[in-house]
Amino acid sequence: MALRPIVKLPDPRLRQRSEPVGPVNDELRALVRDMLETMYDAPGVGLAAIQVGVPKRLIVVDVGKTSEDREPIVLLDPEITWASEETRVHEEGCLSIPDYYEEVERPERIGFRYRDLDGGTVESEADGLLATCVQHEIDHINGVLFIDHLSKLKRDRVVKKFAKAAKREGDGP
Ligand code: K1U
Ligand code: ZN
């Protein structure tokens, strides 16, 4: 297992639409193991493959409260099948936009479908943090970031800040 570096804003890979996962093989299982290790190490409650530079429609999620309480979910080619009209505001962060948190309004409950690593199709429903997290991660595989749900003013401000920081790091010795 290995920690993989997390792609950060303004890396253009974060804006690409990821491709279907394809067959489950040893390479994919190794990627899933690395993504889980990287997510727990960060720490985070979700991670999309594109955040470690792999443009596949693969996400991992674990909203368990403690490390004794781990319940990872691995979702291949996930799709939202329905969304409630009721919305919920939750403070979101993103491992690709470190140390920046803002409230985002999304549907409170969702239905979603995905393939699991055993080749089965799973139909599921979620509310609370799991619903928020699955929507945040599915956005990632479509090239959408949580800052796209904010006002243009806030989004432009954060993009500018991260672009400046990336330039500074590039300019360094
Ligand atoms: O996709 C990501 O960048 C991961 C992101 C997911 C997420 C967070 C909050 C709401 C929706 C989706 C994170 O995990 S950011 C870190 C974080 O929220 C967290 C870290 C440690 C404990 C609990 C939460
Ligand atoms: Zn994110």
Side-chain angles (χ1 to χ4, degrees):
M1 287 207 297
L3 291 178
R4 300 204 185 193
I6 296 178
V7 172
K8 305 272 167 36
L9 193 72
D11 193 308
R13 288 174 289 180
L14 292 171
R15 291 310 194 174
Q16 82 183 79
R17 191 179 156 84
S18 296
E19 295 295 326
V21 169
V24 175
N25 54 26
D26 286 349
E27 189 187 343
L28 188 81
R29 278 185 275 266
L31 170 62
V32 167
R33 280 197 296 272
D34 289 355
M35 284 175 61
L36 286 169
E37 190 183 353
T38 303
M39 177 185 74
Y40 289 127
D41 178 74
V45 290
L47 192 70
I50 193 60
Q51 291 181 277
V52 293
V54 180
K56 287 185 190 290
R57 300 183 76 76
L58 161 64
I59 67 178
V60 295
V61 171
D62 190 341
V63 296
K65 286 196 177 57
T66 66
S67 53
E68 287 78 52
D69 207 25
R70 284 185 177 171
E71 278 184 34
I73 314 176
V74 177
L75 303 93
L76 315 185
D77 300 322
E79 291 169 67
I80 292 178
T81 51
W82 58 265
S84 64
E85 274 180 24
E86 298 96 319
T87 58
R88 159 187 205 256
V89 175
H90 191 277
E91 186 171 82
E92 297 192 19
C94 181
L95 299 176
S96 297
I97 312 175
D99 303 320
Y100 182 74
Y101 299 89
E102 277 290 347
E103 290 190 331
V104 176
E105 184 175 11
R106 298 185 187 266
E108 154 104 66
R109 291 180 304 283
I110 55 163
F112 57 107
R113 179 190 302 134
Y114 61 96
R115 291 194 300 124
D116 64 18
L117 282 172
D118 300 322
T121 299
V122 180
E123 296 275 352
S124 194
E125 296 182 5
D127 60 9
L129 179 57
L130 181 59
T132 300
C133 192
V134 168
Q135 292 175 79
H136 177 116
E137 301 310 331
I138 291 180
D139 270 358
H140 270 303
I141 62 178
N142 291 323
V144 175
L145 300 172
F146 86 96
I147 55 173
D148 299 333
H149 297 274
L150 307 179
S151 68
K152 183 170 168 4
L153 182 72
K154 282 186 176 171
R155 184 169 58 252
D156 287 352
R157 209 183 276 157
V158 67
V159 169
K160 208 169 161 188
K161 182 177 154 194
F162 278 80
K164 245 180 165 175
K167 192 164 182 290
R168 264 202 313 273
E169 277 157 32
D171 285 346

